[in-house]
Amino acid sequence: MWVLLLIPSCAAAVLSCLRLVRVATIADALTGRAPHPGHLPAGVGLYETAYLAGGPARVVDLALVRMAGVGRLHLAHTGWTTVVDPRGRGRLERALIGAIGPEGQCRTAQLKAALAAHPTVRDIGDRLTSAGLATPAVVRDHALRAIRQVRYALVGAAAMLLLTVLLTAPDGTAARTAVAWYALPLVLTGGTLLMARVDVHAYTAWAAPAGQTLLRALPCRHTPATADDLLTAVAISGPAAVQDPRLRAALDS
């Protein structure tokens, strides 16, 4: 009986681990190249930094904080964003105002979701990917999915082992044999996850290894003294860097 439970556990472990290895190999090939010199360092501004640190959502948070700081938007802690000045000063600001709609007001959560998927924000990621600084979206998605599958295989093998122990408890010899065999998928998936922390974890971030090196070189103050310091802190750390609790609540709503 327990052999019938062991077979799918082993199959899931082997297939998920092989998929993760394949994803890591592809990721190395796509993101291991050096950044294009024509894009560095002048090509990396606040919005590019925000994308490398937190992806499209971080870019949107930065745009909201920036426009609210100069009085062009009003962010309410109740979850609404209102346009104060409808003249956008750049592509991203115009896209943000357009996403709010003709009424000049919308829910902040809906605005953030719409703007994160806007072509203007995607263009930032495409430029950084072409420069070798950002992880390609397909690589990041596949890496996250592959790691989840290995985790599911590990949990599934542990659950099947527990069930097997309960079924074979009266027979001590059979229980010990089952535990010995289940060590195979458990060790395989557990060891693969440990190796993934070193070899694959970097590809689950928005920034590629070169982009992560760039981020580590940027200064970030925990207590921003000026508006520029605040914007840099938001780009690197997200809404948690905002000192104003009402503004922070508005961004999290």
Side-chain angles (χ1 to χ4, degrees):
M1 176 68 71
W2 64 267
V3 176
L4 297 179
L5 300 176
L6 175 65
I7 292 175
S9 298
C10 290
V14 171
L15 292 176
S16 62
C17 291
L18 287 176
R19 186 174 188 273
L20 183 56
V21 171
R22 181 173 180 272
V23 167
T25 302
I26 295 174
D28 284 335
L30 292 178
T31 63
R33 64 184 187 281
H36 192 284
H39 292 267
L40 290 173
V44 179
L46 275 178
Y47 287 128
E48 288 77 15
T49 300
Y51 187 95
L52 292 174
R58 184 69 54 79
V59 175
V60 176
D61 285 332
L62 176 61
L64 290 174
V65 172
R66 196 174 206 171
M67 294 182 70
V70 295
R72 294 202 287 270
L73 284 181
H74 174 66
L75 299 176
H77 68 282
T78 54
W80 288 89
T81 297
T82 304
V83 176
V84 178
D85 182 355
R87 295 172 299 170
R89 268 62 171 185
R91 286 185 61 202
L92 187 57
E93 290 192 8
R94 289 192 291 270
L96 190 153
I97 293 171
I100 292 176
E103 296 182 357
Q105 188 179 56
C106 72
R107 299 291 299 181
T108 304
Q110 296 175 356
L111 170 63
K112 293 172 70 172
L115 189 60
H118 195 277
T120 301
V121 177
R122 289 204 304 268
D123 286 346
I124 296 174
D126 292 341
R127 292 197 305 271
L128 291 170
T129 300
S130 298
L133 295 174
T135 303
V138 63
V139 170
R140 182 175 180 274
D141 291 342
H142 286 176
L144 289 170
R145 192 176 300 116
I147 290 175
R148 282 198 300 269
Q149 289 178 350
V150 176
R151 287 174 179 164
Y152 293 153
L154 174 61
V155 173
M160 292 299 101
L161 172 59
L162 178 60
L163 179 58
T164 298
V165 170
L166 293 176
L167 293 175
T168 60
D171 187 347
T173 301
R176 287 191 295 271
T177 302
V179 169
W181 278 101
Y182 269 102
L184 296 176
L186 290 174
V187 170
L188 177 61
T189 52
T192 300
L193 287 175
L194 288 176
M195 290 186 292
R197 291 293 300 175
V198 177
D199 297 329
V200 185
H201 181 69
Y203 304 119
T204 63
W206 291 101
Q212 294 172 27
T213 301
L214 183 65
L215 287 176
R216 286 192 292 269
L218 295 175
C220 182
R221 299 183 181 179
H222 296 289
T223 56
T226 66
D228 289 340
D229 289 342
L230 173 61
L231 294 178
T232 302
V234 170
I236 296 175
S237 304
V242 177
Q243 302 297 312
D244 185 350
R246 294 175 67 88
L247 179 56
R248 190 167 59 247
L251 292 171
D252 291 336
S253 60

